[in-house]
Amino acid sequence: MLSLRDIRFTHPSADKPLIEGLSFDIASGEYVAVVGPNGSGKTTLALIIAGVIRPDSGVVEYDGRDYSSGENLDFLRRDVGFLFQDPEDGILTTSVERELAFAPENHGFAPEIIRERIRELAVEFGLGKILQKPLDELSGGELERTAFAGAISSNPKILILDEPESYLDFSGKVRLYAEIDRQRRMGTSIIHITQCLRASARADRLISLGRMECEPSKSINIQDVRAESPILEMEDISFAFDGRDVLSGFNFAMNRGECVALLGPSGAGKTTFARLAVGLYQPKSGRIKRHGRPGLSFQFPARQLFSESVLDDVLFGPKSMGIPDPRNAALSALEQVGFPHSKFSASPFALSEGEQRLAGLAGVLATQPDFIFFDEPTAALDVHGQARFLEIVDNLLKQDVAVAIVTHDLEIAEKICSRAIVFDGGGGAVEYRMDAIMSNGDLRRSYGIGTLDDIFEGDLCVSL
């Protein structure tokens, strides 16, 4: 069905090929997982297969037709569904309903079939309550579900998924793997780029670009922190979006040198809470006391990148805040996150999403905050990046910096957090110890959160 022969590709700003001499076939109905470290060419390969970019040399064929030179693309694209690594990159309309209708409309589906397809997808992906919602008001998980539903809305024969797990909550991941299984039964060819080795093990075949590594195993020596050293205090906080309570009468304190996990399903208010804590949003009522400089690393890293080079971007914060020797602060932060020296002068928008995340983390660290909120900091990071993040948090805690982590990855939270705030999506939030959450499956299910074991060992992915 798909055939790639001796593919070579070099980015315009690079001095050596990113992909060279790559050849493989994908049969009709085959499920192929693509793995590899950040920047190894996984997304570039997906874009070549989808006909979005052309290889420097080599042949790419679909059903015997060569489209590597730009011909036969109409023939290819009507059969391809693509879920981008950053779901925003594939969004073309203004509301969830219009996004689901876009591909079927452009493929000439009859109006009644489009309406029925929207109803089916809304049920399947839990989008019924947000069909009319503007896309710029969705949480990261809601946006990912919408983009995924849009990618399969026209029943493609080839489905390309670029790290679809990155921004999904527990129920979203269950839906993802269930939909992959359903597409396999329908005979769809699936190309699944992933950093999750547990997920890649379910594929028929594995393609590795670069060296594969095991999951990060390092844990931080977690210690309870004295309550009398607060860096952030939030008292009786309430906040609403469009008349819906996101937080209601919420109290929270974070102490110097501790790490707190912020857990809960997509749309429950975790990112909103983080933005309230650092001052980007103002509460409807209540009081916030900040006893130090705040920092926030965004959920989608591209939203905080804007300069012409990575170094200039990281330098902007310490320079504008009057931090002594801002260039050294920027270089030190880039070194701390393990960002490659060879890309300091590269455009932030020419990076892979994992590399953008590292650049975004460096930009926050360079401002030398006293407390930091990381929003999905390990999404799209490879194993090396995840391990480096654990080291970063460990070093911050030793310096008495307070850290809060918005995450759907309970395994990461368990390694670095002693306690968690679990948001229920109805304006409430409850505090638990992380060990209590990890030892109680019923508690996790009651809040719509879960571990990889809950998904794969519990066979939830085939239960929908």
Side-chain angles (χ1 to χ4, degrees):
M1 186 180 196
L2 271 172
S3 178
L4 285 78
R5 289 289 174 268
D6 201 25
I7 299 300
R8 186 177 191 272
F9 181 86
T10 306
H11 280 297
S13 59
D15 56 4
K16 63 180 181 179
L18 178 63
I19 297 174
E20 188 168 25
L22 183 63
S23 300
F24 62 87
D25 297 323
I26 297 178
S28 179
E30 188 175 16
Y31 176 21
V32 176
V34 180
V35 300
N38 293 136
S40 61
K42 302 183 300 298
T43 294
T44 298
L45 174 62
L47 294 172
I48 289 172
I49 292 173
V52 177
I53 59 177
R54 301 177 190 176
D56 300 333
S57 61
V59 175
V60 190
E61 292 184 347
Y62 171 55
D63 276 356
R65 301 189 188 189
D66 180 5
Y67 63 90
S68 52
S69 63
E71 299 178 355
N72 299 314
L73 287 179
D74 289 342
F75 176 72
L76 168 77
R77 288 174 179 166
R78 73 183 184 212
D79 288 344
V80 173
F82 198 120
L83 177 59
F84 286 83
Q85 185 176 33
D86 183 340
E88 284 192 330
D89 290 344
I91 295 298
L92 298 167
T93 63
T94 56
S95 73
V96 173
E97 184 177 46
R98 296 184 68 176
E99 189 66 26
L100 302 186
F102 183 84
E105 285 177 344
N106 279 271
H107 285 83
F109 286 30
E112 61 273 14
I113 294 177
I114 295 174
R115 286 192 290 269
E116 179 59 29
R117 187 69 178 130
I118 291 172
R119 283 192 291 269
E120 293 172 354
L121 292 169
V123 172
E124 186 175 346
F125 287 88
L127 302 172
K129 294 182 179 180
I130 61 171
L131 277 177
Q132 306 305 320
K133 196 171 183 178
L135 294 172
D136 59 2
E137 295 182 8
L138 301 184
S139 71
E142 290 169 339
L143 189 63
E144 186 81 25
R145 296 204 312 269
T146 299
F148 189 16
I152 65 168
S153 60
S154 59
N155 299 315
K157 295 179 181 178
I158 303 169
L159 181 59
I160 302 173
L161 307 173
D162 193 353
E163 300 201 28
E165 304 94 342
S166 295
Y167 300 103
L168 291 177
D169 62 5
F170 176 70
S171 65
K173 290 175 183 175
V174 171
R175 286 189 177 97
L176 165 70
Y177 298 124
E179 181 59 30
I180 287 175
D181 288 344
R182 191 178 77 88
Q183 292 290 329
R184 294 176 77 177
R185 292 192 296 271
M186 293 170 57
T188 306
S189 297
I190 300 171
I191 301 164
H192 181 187
I193 297 170
T194 183
Q195 298 287 0
C196 179
L197 299 186
R198 293 281 294 275
S200 67
R202 305 175 71 242
D204 300 320
R205 186 157 52 98
L206 192 69
I207 295 174
S208 178
L209 301 183
R211 182 181 174 187
M212 289 179 61
E213 299 284 352
C214 297
E215 302 289 347
S217 57
K218 178 179 178 179
S219 295
I220 290 174
N221 183 21
I222 300 171
Q223 298 180 353
D224 288 324
V225 180
R226 296 191 310 271
E228 58 266 23
S229 57
I231 190 70
L232 173 68
E233 297 174 273
M234 304 175 73
E235 301 173 1
D236 200 26
I237 300 299
S238 294
F239 187 84
F241 266 134
D242 295 330
R244 180 180 73 88
D245 285 337
V246 179
L247 291 171
S248 180
F250 182 65
N251 295 286
F252 173 76
M254 187 162 64
N255 304 302
R256 299 177 188 275
E258 78 162 332
C259 185
V260 182
L262 306 178
L263 309 176
S266 295
K270 304 182 299 299
T271 294
T272 297
F273 172 72
R275 294 180 179 183
L276 282 164
V278 302
L280 290 183
Y281 291 167
Q282 296 303 313
K284 182 173 67 174
S285 62
R287 185 170 60 170
I288 301 175
K289 299 178 182 178
R290 303 179 186 91
H291 305 291
R293 178 185 295 151
L296 173 64
S297 176
F298 282 42
Q299 183 177 31
F300 295 103
R303 292 182 180 177
Q304 69 187 85
L305 303 173
F306 55 88
S307 295
E308 293 186 2
S309 74
V310 171
L311 180 57
D312 285 344
D313 207 294
V314 177
L315 181 61
F316 178 84
K319 191 174 181 179
S320 63
M321 297 175 70
I323 290 175
D325 197 354
R327 182 177 178 83
N328 183 63
L331 292 172
S332 176
L334 286 165
E335 187 75 29
Q336 189 176 357
V337 302
F339 195 86
H341 289 78
S342 61
K343 295 187 177 182
F344 281 11
S345 60
S347 166
F349 306 103
L351 305 176
S352 71
E353 184 162 351
E355 291 168 333
Q356 285 184 335
R357 186 164 297 282
L358 292 177
L361 291 176
V364 176
L365 295 175
T367 64
Q368 301 172 3
D370 298 298
F371 64 96
I372 307 177
F373 279 72
F374 292 107
D375 198 347
E376 298 285 356
T378 58
L381 287 184
D382 60 17
V383 171
H384 291 296
Q386 292 177 30
R388 182 58 66 97
F389 176 73
L390 296 179
E391 293 176 4
I392 290 169
V393 173
D394 196 12
N395 290 331
L396 290 170
L397 299 181
K398 290 175 180 175
Q399 298 167 32
D400 255 1
V401 177
V403 175
I405 299 174
V406 177
T407 185
H408 296 302
D409 190 334
L410 298 191
E411 286 83 357
I412 288 289
E414 181 186 26
K415 294 178 188 297
I416 53 180
C417 301
S418 60
R419 65 185 178 110
I421 308 299
V422 185
F423 295 79
D424 62 17
V430 182
E431 179 177 328
Y432 293 96
R433 289 188 58 86
M434 272 307 304
D435 54 9
I437 293 173
M438 298 305 290
S439 64
N440 192 331
D442 290 337
L443 176 63
R444 295 194 297 272
R445 283 188 289 274
S446 71
Y447 283 104
I449 59 178
T451 65
L452 288 175
D453 284 345
D454 291 333
I455 296 175
F456 294 117
E457 294 184 7
D459 289 330
L460 290 177
C461 54
V462 295
S463 66
L464 294 184

